[in-house]
Amino acid sequence: LDFAIEGEGYFILQKNDQDGSKYFSRDGAFMKDADGSLTNSSGYKVMGRAYKAGATENPEYSDSFQLEDTFDTAQNGGLQEITIPNQLTTQENGETVNWKLSDYAIDGSGLVVGKYSKVVAQGSTAASETKNFVLGTIPLATFSNADGLEKTGGNCYTQSNNSGQANIVEAGSNGSGQILQGSLEGSNVDLATEFTEMIVASRAYQANSRSITTSDEMLQELINLKR
């Protein structure tokens, strides 16, 4: 559940259902909560594309699977939480079939696919079976001026007038990078440069303090002369 973005773009997060505000982050160190939802370290939900009206939720994955037939892939389309459930239930020939999660993967375009094993009743002679189901897709947000995003802490940002509106696109398209599973983005801060700038700032502060002190002494001397 570690993801990095190879290129431009931000993951889209939401604090909770009551607070519909969206947050943006490149920190892809995610985890699953008790409900199976993907969250960051602060508990913010990772948001993905919403299902189209009438589309089958968690359809079986095949080589002919079309993303636009299942999810709202329009720019800035609907969003919903990404969930990787431990159990799935399907209907086959009028019967309820239970499936247990055995593995999952997310490709470069953000498509989340889970591998599930069929739950066979104890003592049954039925053969075990595995199927791959589509669990969602993770889009990315891009901005005309990403440097204008406002920091909110915890490696998260919010959009501002300077950043412009978020453009929600599929990973790897429209100027966004691809998603790399099993990777994390390293720090983009150079310690040597930051220490140098800190020393320069400290010396400038000391110099300004000295000038203020000198000015105070001069004013005090003028006052004494007048007396």
Side-chain angles (χ1 to χ4, degrees):
L1 292 177
D2 287 341
F3 306 102
I5 301 173
E6 190 178 31
E8 300 296 323
Y10 293 80
F11 296 109
I12 306 165
L13 308 173
Q14 183 170 302
K15 192 171 184 179
N16 50 52
D17 294 335
Q18 289 73 35
D19 178 12
S21 300
K22 299 296 185 293
Y23 299 84
F24 306 94
S25 176
R26 289 182 63 90
D27 184 357
F30 299 141
M31 60 195 71
K32 286 172 61 178
D33 64 12
D35 299 324
S37 298
L38 281 186
T39 68
N40 71 351
S41 58
S42 300
Y44 292 11
K45 307 285 187 181
V46 180
M47 305 303 289
R49 290 292 196 188
Y51 286 99
K52 279 187 174 181
T56 302
E57 291 195 16
N58 304 133
E60 186 176 354
Y61 177 79
S62 66
D63 293 336
S64 60
F65 174 79
Q66 296 294 322
L67 195 69
E68 59 271 14
D69 293 339
T70 305
F71 298 99
D72 183 359
T73 56
Q75 193 175 54
N76 297 339
L79 295 174
Q80 66 178 18
E81 296 176 13
I82 290 293
T83 302
I84 303 177
N86 292 324
Q87 302 281 344
L88 272 185
T89 301
T90 61
Q91 295 292 327
E92 296 184 4
N93 299 322
E95 295 184 357
T96 300
V97 180
N98 295 315
W99 303 86
K100 185 178 180 180
L101 179 68
S102 59
D103 198 6
Y104 52 87
I106 298 178
D107 67 9
S109 66
L111 188 66
V112 185
V113 179
K115 182 179 181 181
Y116 286 81
S117 300
K118 188 175 183 179
V119 178
V120 179
Q122 189 173 5
S124 173
T125 58
S128 180
E129 182 182 0
T130 60
K131 284 187 177 181
N132 295 323
F133 294 97
V134 177
L135 304 177
T137 179
I138 300 176
L140 298 178
T142 61
F143 298 87
S144 57
N145 178 28
D147 292 335
L149 291 170
E150 294 184 356
K151 296 180 181 179
T152 60
N155 292 329
C156 289
Y157 302 83
T158 57
Q159 68 183 26
S160 67
N161 292 333
N162 290 331
S163 68
Q165 293 290 321
N167 296 315
I168 302 173
V169 298
E170 303 309 313
S173 67
N174 297 322
S176 69
Q178 290 193 328
I179 296 176
L180 301 180
Q181 187 177 16
S183 301
L184 284 176
E185 182 174 335
S187 173
N188 55 11
V189 175
D190 181 62
L191 288 179
T193 301
E194 295 302 319
F195 272 121
T196 301
E197 291 182 354
M198 184 178 68
I199 292 172
V200 171
S202 176
R203 296 304 183 193
Y205 177 80
Q206 290 177 357
N208 288 332
S209 298
R210 290 284 180 87
S211 65
I212 293 173
T213 301
T214 302
S215 176
D216 286 342
E217 291 176 351
M218 293 175 63
L219 289 173
Q220 188 63 43
E221 286 295 330
L222 288 173
I223 294 172
N224 291 336
L225 288 173
K226 186 177 181 181
R227 290 176 180 173

